[in-house]
Amino acid sequence: MKKNLIGSIFLTAILSWSVQALSDEHTEAAESSETSTVEAAAAESANTLPSGQGWRVVRIVEMGNSGKFVHMVLVDHTKEMDRSVYGAAMHQICGKATDFCRIRFWTQERFIPEKVSPSAEQLKMQKAEYLFNNAAGIRQLTWSCAVNPDKNQCVNY
C-alpha cells in the first residue's frame, strides 16, 4: 500500500510539474504573440480599407473636425467607363450611411489628394463624386465629362 501511495504522489508531482511547465511556456508564447498580434492588427487595419472588383479606397480624410469623411477611391483605369464599378463602391461605402457620405473617384493614384481639398490638377483628373447629406437633402452623383460625355450630365472639374 505504501508503494501505491508513493507512486501516486510521484505521479501527481510529475503531472503537476508538466502542467506548470506547459503553462509557463504558453504564457510566454501568449505574451509574445499578443504583442505581435497587436502590431499585426494595426498594420492590417491600415490595409483593410474598403475595396471591390475594379476599385479600392486609398484613403479616408476627415473634413476638418466634423466627424464627416471623404473616401478617396481609385478605380482601375481599365474600368473607368464602367459605371457599375462606381455604383458598387458607392453601395459598399455608403450603403448603411444614414446622415452623410462622400466619395471622390480617380483612375490614377498619384492624383488622389492627401487632404480634403484637391488641387486644380487633382480636381481636373477626378472622374466622379458622390455626395449624400441627409440634413441638406442632397443625394448627388456627378461625373467628369471623360467618363460621361453627355454635356447635360457631366462636369468639367
Side-chain angles (χ1 to χ4, degrees):
M1 178 137 140
K2 285 185 179 182
K3 287 183 182 179
N4 286 343
L5 182 62
I6 292 172
S8 295
I9 292 172
F10 181 70
L11 183 59
T12 303
I14 289 175
L15 289 175
S16 295
W17 177 80
S18 298
V19 168
Q20 182 64 37
L22 288 173
S23 176
D24 289 346
E25 286 178 14
H26 178 70
T27 301
E28 290 173 11
E31 289 171 356
S32 173
S33 175
E34 185 177 312
T35 301
S36 62
T37 301
V38 169
E39 291 169 359
E44 183 178 324
S45 69
N47 295 325
T48 57
L49 293 172
S51 66
Q53 191 168 12
W55 67 274
R56 70 179 169 88
V57 175
V58 172
R59 70 183 53 86
I60 301 171
V61 183
E62 185 173 11
M63 297 171 60
N65 294 320
S66 67
K68 296 177 180 176
F69 297 87
V70 178
H71 296 80
M72 308 294 189
V73 174
L74 178 66
V75 173
D76 185 324
H77 72 288
T78 64
K79 305 279 187 186
E80 176 180 0
M81 303 297 278
D82 186 350
R83 293 189 201 176
S84 67
V85 171
Y86 298 86
M90 291 176 348
H91 178 73
Q92 186 169 339
I93 296 167
C94 297
K96 294 181 181 176
T98 58
D99 296 326
F100 182 88
C101 189
R102 187 173 203 165
I103 309 171
R104 292 181 174 154
F105 297 90
W106 284 267
T107 56
Q108 295 178 50
E109 190 167 358
R110 65 187 177 114
F111 289 110
I112 297 177
E114 297 282 332
K115 54 188 180 179
V116 172
S117 301
S119 69
E121 182 181 28
Q122 291 167 329
L123 192 57
K124 184 179 177 182
M125 299 306 293
Q126 185 174 306
K127 300 303 175 185
E129 180 171 9
Y130 174 72
L131 174 61
F132 165 63
N133 185 336
N134 197 34
I138 299 171
R139 186 177 298 265
Q140 176 181 356
L141 174 61
T142 56
W143 299 98
S144 81
C145 294
V147 176
N148 182 0
D150 182 343
K151 298 294 181 196
N152 296 321
Q153 298 180 2
C154 72
V155 175
N156 282 316
Y157 291 110

